[in-house]
Amino acid sequence: MLGVVVTETLYRIHPDLPEGKLAKLRAAVVNARALAEVGQAIGLGQHIKLGRGEEATGGREKASIVSDTVEAVIGAVHLSGGIEVSTVLVHRLFDPLIEAASDLGAGLDWKTSLQELSAERALGVPEYVITDEGPDHMKTFTAKVRVGEQLYGNGVGRSKKEAEQAAAETAYGEIQAAAAVTG
C-alpha cells in the first residue's frame, strides 16, 4: 500500500522525470530507515507490545521493529478501512518525506551519489572501512570511505548501511569542497 501511494504521488508531482530518478525518489521514501523515522516521530514505539528480551534491550527504539510496526499499522488500516482511508494515512505520514526527497537531489542515496562523483572525477571506486563496537544487540557501526588513496567521511549508525550512508554524505561534501578550493 505504501509503495503504491508513494509511487503514484511521485509520478503526479514529477511526470517528466526519467524512470531511474523516480525510482531513486521512491527508494528514499519507501525504505526501513524512513519507516523507522516516521514511526519514531509519532511515538509508535511506546505502543508496541514486546517480549521481555526486546523490552530489556531497547526494542522500542530499534529501527527494524519500529519500521516493521509502521508497515503493519498501514496494512491494518488498509484491511479495516479500505484503500481511501489507508491512502489518507500514508499521505499524512509520508508527504513530508516525499517533499524532502524531491528537494534532496544528490542526497537521495549518498553512496550512489558518491560513486557517481568519484567516477566523474576519475577518483576510483569508493570502498567502505567499517568498525563496530558494543554488544551484538546494541552495536554501533562507524564507517569511513576510501576513495583512491584518501580516507574521507566519518559516519556512525546502528547498522552498517546507515553508517556507510552517513560516511558517504560527509565524503561527498569533502570531495566537493576540495574541488572548489583547487578548481
Side-chain angles (χ1 to χ4, degrees), residues 11 58 80 83 103-104 108 115 160 169-170:
Y11 182 74
S80 66
I83 194 164
D103 294 340
L104 271 178
L108 284 174
Q115 191 166 349
K160 288 179 185 177
E169 178 180 2
T170 307

Side-chain angles (χ1 to χ4, degrees), residues 88-153:
V88 168
L89 175 64
V90 169
H91 280 297
R92 182 169 292 156
L93 295 176
F94 288 88
D95 277 358
L97 283 177
I98 292 170
E99 187 177 323
S102 296
D103 294 340
L104 271 178
L108 284 174
D109 175 5
W110 287 109
K111 287 178 67 175
T112 301
S113 297
L114 178 61
Q115 191 166 349
E116 290 169 352
L117 180 67
S118 297
E120 178 183 303
R121 300 201 176 157
L123 300 174
V125 177
E127 295 177 44
Y128 294 85
V129 179
I130 310 283
T131 57
D132 64 69
E133 60 183 43
D136 285 345
H137 66 279
M138 292 283 285
K139 282 215 183 294
T140 299
F141 295 89
T142 302
K144 291 188 177 293
V145 187
R146 180 176 291 117
V147 181
E149 299 300 315
Q150 181 86 22
L151 267 180
Y152 294 97

